[in-house]
Coordinates of all heavy atoms in Angstrom, one line a residue:
T1089 N 21.8 27.0 34.1 CA 22.5 26.4 35.3 C 23.8 25.7 34.9 O 24.8 25.8 35.5 CB 21.6 25.3 35.9 OG1 20.4 25.9 36.3 CG2 22.2 24.7 37.1
I1090 N 23.8 25.0 33.7 CA 25.0 24.3 33.3 C 26.0 25.4 32.9 O 27.2 25.3 33.3 CB 24.7 23.4 32.0 CG1 23.9 22.2 32.4 CG2 26.0 23.0 31.4 CD1 23.5 21.3 31.3
N1091 N 25.6 26.5 32.3 CA 26.6 27.5 31.9 C 27.2 28.2 33.1 O 28.4 28.4 33.2 CB 25.9 28.6 31.0 CG 25.7 28.1 29.6 OD1 26.4 27.2 29.1 ND2 24.7 28.7 29.0
E1092 N 26.4 28.5 34.1 CA 26.9 29.1 35.3 C 27.8 28.2 36.1 O 28.8 28.6 36.7 CB 25.7 29.6 36.2 CG 25.0 30.8 35.5 CD 23.8 31.2 36.4 OE1 23.4 30.5 37.4 OE2 23.2 32.3 36.0
S1093 N 27.4 26.9 36.2 CA 28.3 25.9 36.9 C 29.6 25.8 36.2 O 30.7 25.6 36.9 CB 27.5 24.6 36.9 OG 26.3 24.7 37.6
M1094 N 29.6 25.7 34.9 CA 30.9 25.6 34.1 C 31.8 26.9 34.4 O 33.0 26.8 34.6 CB 30.6 25.4 32.7 CG 30.0 24.1 32.3 SD 31.0 22.7 32.8 CE 32.5 23.0 31.9
A1095 N 31.1 28.0 34.3 CA 31.9 29.3 34.4 C 32.6 29.3 35.8 O 33.7 29.7 35.9 CB 31.0 30.5 34.2
A1096 N 31.8 28.9 36.8 CA 32.3 29.0 38.2 C 33.4 27.9 38.5 O 34.2 28.1 39.3 CB 31.2 28.8 39.2
G1097 N 33.3 26.8 37.7 CA 34.2 25.7 38.0 C 35.4 25.5 37.1 O 36.2 24.6 37.3
L1098 N 35.6 26.5 36.2 CA 36.7 26.3 35.2 C 38.1 26.3 35.9 O 39.0 25.6 35.5 CB 36.7 27.5 34.2 CG 35.7 27.3 33.0 CD1 35.8 28.4 32.1 CD2 35.9 26.0 32.3
D1099 N 38.2 27.1 37.0 CA 39.5 27.1 37.7 C 39.9 25.7 38.1 O 41.1 25.3 38.0 CB 39.5 28.0 38.9 CG 39.6 29.5 38.5 OD1 40.1 29.7 37.4 OD2 39.2 30.3 39.2
S1100 N 39.0 24.9 38.7 CA 39.3 23.6 39.2 C 39.4 22.6 38.0 O 40.1 21.6 38.1 CB 38.2 23.2 40.2 OG 37.0 23.1 39.6
L1101 N 38.6 22.8 37.0 CA 38.6 21.8 35.9 C 39.8 21.9 35.0 O 40.3 20.9 34.5 CB 37.3 22.1 35.0 CG 36.0 21.7 35.7 CD1 34.8 22.2 34.9 CD2 35.9 20.2 35.8
L1102 N 40.3 23.1 34.7 CA 41.4 23.3 33.8 C 42.8 23.2 34.5 O 43.5 24.1 34.6 CB 41.3 24.6 33.1 CG 40.0 24.8 32.2 CD1 39.9 26.2 31.6 CD2 40.0 23.7 31.1
D1103 N 43.0 22.0 35.0 CA 44.3 21.7 35.7 C 45.3 20.9 34.8 O 46.2 20.3 35.3 CB 44.0 20.9 37.0 CG 43.3 19.6 36.7 OD1 43.0 19.3 35.5 OD2 43.0 18.9 37.7
G1104 N 45.0 20.8 33.5 CA 45.8 20.1 32.6 C 45.4 18.7 32.3 O 45.9 18.0 31.5
S1105 N 44.3 18.2 33.1 CA 43.9 16.8 32.9 C 42.8 16.7 31.8 O 42.6 15.5 31.4 CB 43.2 16.3 34.2 OG 42.1 17.1 34.6
M1106 N 42.3 17.8 31.3 CA 41.2 17.7 30.3 C 41.1 18.9 29.5 O 41.8 19.9 29.7 CB 39.8 17.5 31.0 CG 39.3 18.8 31.7 SD 37.8 18.5 32.7 CE 38.4 17.8 34.2
Q1107 N 40.4 18.7 28.4 CA 40.0 19.8 27.5 C 38.5 19.9 27.5 O 37.8 18.9 27.7 CB 40.6 19.6 26.1 CG 42.1 19.3 26.1 CD 42.5 18.7 24.7 OE1 43.0 19.4 23.9 NE2 42.3 17.4 24.5
I1108 N 38.0 21.1 27.2 CA 36.5 21.3 27.2 C 36.0 22.0 26.0 O 36.6 23.1 25.6 CB 36.1 22.1 28.5 CG1 36.5 21.4 29.7 CG2 34.6 22.4 28.5 CD1 36.4 22.2 31.0
L1109 N 35.0 21.4 25.3 CA 34.3 22.1 24.2 C 32.9 22.4 24.8 O 32.1 21.5 25.1 CB 34.2 21.2 23.0 CG 33.4 21.8 21.8 CD1 33.9 23.1 21.4 CD2 33.3 20.8 20.7
W1110 N 32.6 23.7 24.9 CA 31.4 24.1 25.7 C 30.5 24.9 24.8 O 30.8 26.0 24.3 CB 31.9 25.0 26.8 CG 30.9 25.7 27.7 CD1 29.6 25.5 27.8 CD2 31.2 26.8 28.6 NE1 29.0 26.4 28.7 CE2 30.0 27.1 29.2 CE3 32.4 27.4 29.0 CZ2 29.9 28.2 30.2 CZ3 32.3 28.4 30.0 CH2 31.1 28.8 30.5
Q1111 N 29.3 24.3 24.5 CA 28.3 25.0 23.7 C 27.4 25.7 24.7 O 26.7 25.1 25.5 CB 27.4 24.0 22.9 CG 26.3 24.7 22.2 CD 25.3 23.7 21.5 OE1 25.6 23.1 20.5 NE2 24.2 23.6 22.1
T1112 N 27.4 27.0 24.7 CA 26.7 27.8 25.7 C 25.2 28.1 25.3 O 24.4 28.4 26.1 CB 27.4 29.2 25.8 OG1 27.3 29.9 24.5 CG2 28.8 29.0 26.2
G1113 N 24.9 27.9 24.0 CA 23.6 28.4 23.5 C 23.7 29.9 23.4 O 24.6 30.6 23.9
R1114 N 22.7 30.5 22.7 CA 22.6 32.0 22.5 C 22.5 32.7 23.9 O 23.2 33.7 24.1 CB 21.5 32.3 21.6 CG 21.6 31.9 20.2 CD 20.5 32.5 19.3 NE 19.2 31.9 19.6 CZ 18.7 30.8 19.1 NH1 19.5 30.1 18.3 NH2 17.5 30.4 19.4
S1115 N 21.8 32.2 24.8 CA 21.5 32.9 26.0 C 22.8 32.9 26.9 O 22.9 33.8 27.8 CB 20.4 32.2 26.8 OG 20.7 30.9 27.2
G1116 N 23.7 32.0 26.7 CA 24.9 31.9 27.6 C 26.2 32.4 26.9 O 27.3 32.2 27.4
E1117 N 26.0 33.0 25.7 CA 27.2 33.3 24.9 C 28.1 34.3 25.6 O 29.3 34.1 25.7 CB 26.7 34.0 23.6 CG 27.9 34.3 22.6 CD 27.4 34.8 21.3 OE1 26.2 35.0 21.1 OE2 28.2 35.1 20.4
E1118 N 27.6 35.3 26.3 CA 28.4 36.3 27.0 C 29.0 35.7 28.2 O 30.2 35.9 28.5 CB 27.6 37.5 27.4 CG 28.3 38.6 28.0 CD 29.4 39.2 27.1 OE1 29.3 39.1 25.9 OE2 30.4 39.8 27.7
T1119 N 28.3 34.8 28.9 CA 28.9 34.1 30.1 C 30.1 33.3 29.7 O 31.1 33.3 30.3 CB 27.8 33.2 30.7 OG1 26.7 34.0 31.2 CG2 28.4 32.4 31.9
G1120 N 29.9 32.5 28.6 CA 31.0 31.7 28.1 C 32.2 32.5 27.6 O 33.3 32.1 27.9
R1121 N 31.9 33.5 26.9 CA 33.0 34.3 26.3 C 33.9 34.9 27.4 O 35.1 34.9 27.4 CB 32.4 35.5 25.5 CG 33.5 36.3 24.7 CD 32.9 37.5 24.1 NE 32.4 38.4 25.1 CZ 33.1 39.2 25.8 NH1 34.5 39.2 25.7 NH2 32.6 40.0 26.7
R1122 N 33.2 35.4 28.5 CA 34.0 36.0 29.6 C 34.8 35.0 30.4 O 35.9 35.2 30.8 CB 33.0 36.8 30.5 CG 32.5 38.1 30.0 CD 32.0 39.0 31.1 NE 31.0 38.3 32.0 CZ 29.7 38.3 31.8 NH1 29.2 39.0 30.8 NH2 28.9 37.7 32.6
A1123 N 34.1 33.8 30.5 CA 34.7 32.8 31.4 C 36.0 32.2 30.8 O 36.9 31.8 31.5 CB 33.7 31.7 31.6
V1124 N 36.0 32.1 29.4 CA 37.2 31.4 28.8 C 38.2 32.4 28.3 O 39.3 31.9 27.9 CB 36.7 30.5 27.6 CG1 35.6 29.6 28.0 CG2 36.2 31.4 26.4
E1125 N 38.0 33.6 28.5 CA 39.0 34.6 28.0 C 40.3 34.4 28.7 O 40.4 34.4 29.9 CB 38.5 36.0 28.3 CG 39.2 37.1 27.6 CD 38.6 38.5 27.8 OE1 37.5 38.6 28.3 OE2 39.1 39.5 27.3
G1126 N 41.4 34.3 27.9 CA 42.7 34.1 28.4 C 43.0 32.7 28.9 O 44.1 32.5 29.4

Side-chain angles (χ1 to χ4, degrees):
T1089 302
I1090 292 178
N1091 286 335
E1092 291 177 352
S1093 301
M1094 291 302 299
L1098 281 182
D1099 282 337
S1100 62
L1101 290 169
L1102 297 176
D1103 58 1
S1105 64
M1106 72 185 78
Q1107 308 166 99
I1108 299 171
L1109 176 57
W1110 173 14
Q1111 179 189 284
T1112 64
R1114 290 188 294 273
S1115 63
E1117 183 174 5
E1118 183 62 21
T1119 297
R1121 187 190 63 77
R1122 287 199 308 265
V1124 305
E1125 194 171 356

